[in-house]
């Protein structure tokens, strides 16, 4: 981003001034989080854990991404425009230090998916059938990114609209095929 991106994690670490922010993203993460009931009380908030960077491959990907951008910022023509790298700490480029930085600043990019995944009846983790019905509960469908078995490698806006539109077809009776697509 051609701005300094400030959030609660960066306040006090970088000045609110001219600069740029580069973030690395694991597009197809292997780490898996969860959403679980806290108790039988419907007023209790659920337990939610994205479990980010739990998988060693995701950790390596983030470290490599950070190293790539640090090299890019220290190489011409960018080198001549960059006065200083603030974070991650340019004095400690060890894998452990970079991973600690990544763990502190990692975000979801607000594209979580798969918490109520769609799949075949023999998949124990698939709670939805191909018409987005919740198995075992009559007249209940899920029509958002929760239904996606795996997150796509791009922006999730178009798939979210497609799933919602297809679900509307199923509900209205216009869904001519037995499966999503």
């Amino acid at each position: 981003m051609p701005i300094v991106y400030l959030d609660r994690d960066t306040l006090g670490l970088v000045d609110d001034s001219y600069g740029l922010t580069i973030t690395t993203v694991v597009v197809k993460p292997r780490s898996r989080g969860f959403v679980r009931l806290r108790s039988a009380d419907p007023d209790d908030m659920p337990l939610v854990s994205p479990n980010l960077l739990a998988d060693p491959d995701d950790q390596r990907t983030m470290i490599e991404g950070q190293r790539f951008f640090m090299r890019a910022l220290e190489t011409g023509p960018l080198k001549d425009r960059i006065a200083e790298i603030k974070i991650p700490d340019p004095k400690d480029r060890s894998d452990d230090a970079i991973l600690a930085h990544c763990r502190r600043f990692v975000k979801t990019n607000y594209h979580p998916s798969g918490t109520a995944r769609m799949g075949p009846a023999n998949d124990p983790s698939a709670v939805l059938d191909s018409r987005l019905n919740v198995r075992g509960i009559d007249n209940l469908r899920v029509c958002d990114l929760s239904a996606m078995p795996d997150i796509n490698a791009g922006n999730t806006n178009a798939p979210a609209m497609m799933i919602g539109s297809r679900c509307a077809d199923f509900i209205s009776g216009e869904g001519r095929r037995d499966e999503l697509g």
Side-chain angles (χ1 to χ4, degrees):
M1 294 184 284
I3 60 170
V4 175
Y5 176 73
L6 297 174
D7 66 7
R8 68 174 182 238
D9 296 320
T10 55
L11 291 175
L13 297 176
V14 296
D15 298 330
D16 185 5
S17 66
Y18 180 78
L20 68 103
T21 298
I22 297 175
T23 58
T24 53
V25 177
V26 179
V27 177
K28 298 292 275 181
R30 292 180 179 214
S31 301
R32 292 292 179 259
F34 62 84
V35 176
R36 295 186 183 130
L37 295 177
R38 183 176 302 271
S39 73
D41 183 347
D43 291 328
D44 280 351
M45 294 297 291
L47 298 170
V48 179
S49 172
N51 210 22
L52 303 172
L53 297 179
D55 189 279
D57 285 340
D58 294 349
Q59 295 170 18
R60 280 189 292 280
T61 298
M62 287 294 281
I63 291 168
E64 289 169 12
Q66 289 288 303
R67 288 190 190 288
F68 173 84
F69 283 113
M70 286 187 285
R71 283 191 309 270
L73 294 173
E74 294 170 342
T75 304
L78 288 175
K79 180 181 180 181
D80 300 331
R81 300 244 183 227
I82 305 295
E84 159 182 37
I85 296 174
K86 295 278 193 168
I87 49 177
D89 182 355
K91 295 178 191 100
D92 188 351
R93 300 256 175 112
S94 66
D95 284 356
D96 289 342
I98 294 172
L99 183 57
H101 162 79
C102 292
R103 286 189 190 285
R104 179 172 179 188
F105 294 100
V106 70
K107 305 282 189 286
T108 65
N109 277 353
Y110 311 107
H111 297 157
S113 65
T115 55
R117 66 185 282 155
M118 173 181 49
N122 63 355
D123 180 349
S125 65
V127 298
L128 303 178
D129 66 18
S130 62
R131 295 179 63 86
L132 303 169
N133 294 297
V134 176
R135 290 192 170 96
I137 301 176
D138 292 337
N139 301 315
L140 181 62
R141 296 179 193 256
V142 173
C143 59
D144 62 18
L145 292 179
S146 302
M148 291 176 62
D150 295 300
I151 192 166
N152 57 301
N155 192 289
T156 54
N157 186 41
M161 289 190 295
M162 183 276 305
I163 291 170
S165 176
R166 190 69 174 132
C167 189
D169 288 346
F170 292 148
I171 292 168
S172 69
E174 295 178 24
R176 292 181 294 276
R177 293 178 21 185
D178 286 339
E179 58 189 50
L180 192 64

